[in-house]
Amino acid sequence: MSRRPLGERLRKAWDDPRAVGVKLLQGAIDSLRGYSYDFDKNGERRLLEVLSALPVHTVFDVGANVGDWSLAAARALPAADIHCFELSPRTFETLSARVQGPRFHLNNCGMGRESGSVSFKDYGENSTVNTLLTTATYHDARLSAVTSTARIVSGDDYCRERGIEAIDLLKIDVEGADHWVLEGFAPQLRAKAIRVVQFEYGYTHGDAKFLMRDFHELFAGHGYSVGRLTRRGVAFAPWNYKMNDFRSGPNYVAVRQDDAEAIRLLERFH
C-alpha cells in the first residue's frame, strides 16, 4: 500500500498541528540519540568494520531480506562464510539473484525455536516487515498483508546437520520473533559457541510480549552482556526500565561476558 496522498497529509497537519509538532520533536530527539534504521547512521556498518579486527569465519544473517546486510558483511569480513535465511519465497528469489558466490549459503526458510512449517504475515515481495507474529498489527494501517506458509529451522538443527561448531556473528532481524530464533540456538548459547549476537528491538516485541528485560535475562542466563548499538559503539549496561521503551534500540548487541577482546573492541568504535 502506498503512502497517503500529499493533500491528505497536509489536511491532517492543518487539522492537528500539535501532532505535527510532537512528531517533529520526536524526530529531533531520535536524531540526538542516534535512533535510526539507517545502516550508515545507527552503527551497523561500523560494527561490521570493527569486527574485521577479529577472526570471523562464520556469520548467520537471519531475516536476510534482499541481501543488503549480507553483502555488506561479505565486504567487511572477507574470510567469512555467510549463511542467509529468508522466510518469504518471493523475497528469496530477489536474494538469490543479488547474493551469489561460494561464500554464501542461501536458505529459503526462517529460523525458530524448532523446525517445521509455520504461518507468517506476508506484506508482499521484498517487504522488510514480514513477521511470524500473525496477530501483530503495527504496520496494517499503511500496508496490506496476507497469511502465507513457510518452513523454519532451529539453529541447533541447522548447525548439527552442517557440522557448524561455532558462529562468530549471529545477526537477527525478524520483526518481533527474535527470541524464538534465540531459543532455537539454546545449546549453542549455553556452550558459548556464538561470539557476538546483533538483534532488533521495537514495537512488534509488544505483540510478542517479550521486552528488553526478557532479552537481558535470556542472555545473562547464558553468560552474555547486552548493550545498545550506537554509531560510536556498544553501550553495555545492566537492564533498567527505560530499555523496555520500544524506541530504545533499534539494535542491540550481546557478547560473551568472558570475551574481553570483543568487549574492548565494541565498547568504543575507533
Side-chain angles (χ1 to χ4, degrees), residues 213-232:
R213 179 173 190 164
D214 301 301
F215 279 109
H216 271 259
E217 291 178 352
L218 184 156
F219 280 111
H222 295 301
Y224 285 73
S225 294
V226 177
R228 177 175 176 254
L229 176 61
T230 77
R231 57 180 174 262
R232 297 182 180 88

Side-chain angles (χ1 to χ4, degrees), residues 158-172:
Y158 186 87
C159 289
R160 282 191 294 102
E161 290 169 3
R162 288 157 181 77
I164 296 172
E165 296 182 353
I167 300 170
D168 299 296
L169 174 59
L170 167 61
K171 170 261 186 185
I172 309 171

Side-chain angles (χ1 to χ4, degrees), residues 1-209:
M1 184 182 295
S2 60
R3 295 181 65 188
R4 289 174 298 172
L6 177 60
E8 182 181 340
R9 284 182 279 141
L10 288 174
R11 282 194 299 275
K12 183 174 181 180
W14 180 268
D15 293 338
D16 192 0
R18 289 176 300 177
V20 176
V22 169
K23 190 170 185 179
L24 290 172
L25 179 59
Q26 182 65 63
I29 293 171
D30 287 345
S31 180
L32 288 171
R33 291 182 57 251
Y35 178 88
S36 174
Y37 285 90
D38 187 319
F39 187 79
D40 291 305
K41 294 180 180 179
N42 63 12
E44 287 189 85
R45 188 180 299 280
R46 289 292 294 128
L47 178 68
L48 292 173
E49 293 169 349
V50 169
L51 286 174
S52 68
L54 300 176
V56 177
H57 301 291
T58 304
V59 173
F60 277 37
D61 182 0
V62 184
N65 194 247
V66 299
D68 290 341
W69 189 93
S70 288
L71 291 169
R75 288 190 292 269
L77 308 168
D81 277 0
I82 301 173
H83 298 255
C84 306
F85 301 84
E86 172 49 45
L87 187 70
S88 164
R90 290 184 292 173
T91 303
F92 184 76
E93 291 181 10
T94 305
L95 174 68
S96 300
R98 297 185 71 230
V99 177
Q100 300 179 354
R103 294 174 57 202
F104 296 102
H105 307 269
L106 306 184
N107 300 276
N108 186 193
C109 64
M111 300 197 91
R113 60 165 64 101
E114 58 187 23
S115 302
S117 179
V118 295
S119 298
F120 73 97
K121 204 159 188 176
D122 185 352
Y123 288 93
E125 183 178 358
N126 301 340
S127 172
T128 60
V129 297
N130 292 338
T131 179
L132 291 173
L133 303 175
T134 55
T135 59
T137 58
Y138 179 71
H139 300 288
D140 290 3
R142 61 185 183 87
L143 298 171
S144 58
V146 298
T147 300
S148 298
T149 58
R151 184 174 65 91
I152 61 170
V153 62
S154 75
D156 185 46
D157 285 348
Y158 186 87
C159 289
R160 282 191 294 102
E161 290 169 3
R162 288 157 181 77
I164 296 172
E165 296 182 353
I167 300 170
D168 299 296
L169 174 59
L170 167 61
K171 170 261 186 185
I172 309 171
D173 182 357
V174 291
E175 297 302 308
D178 308 64
H179 59 298
W180 290 341
V181 176
L182 291 168
E183 288 171 16
F185 281 104
Q188 287 71 27
L189 290 169
R190 281 196 299 270
K192 295 184 173 58
I194 303 175
R195 190 168 193 182
V196 179
V197 181
Q198 177 190 322
F199 63 98
E200 193 176 73
Y201 180 71
Y203 287 101
T204 48
H205 287 88
D207 296 290
K209 298 179 176 59

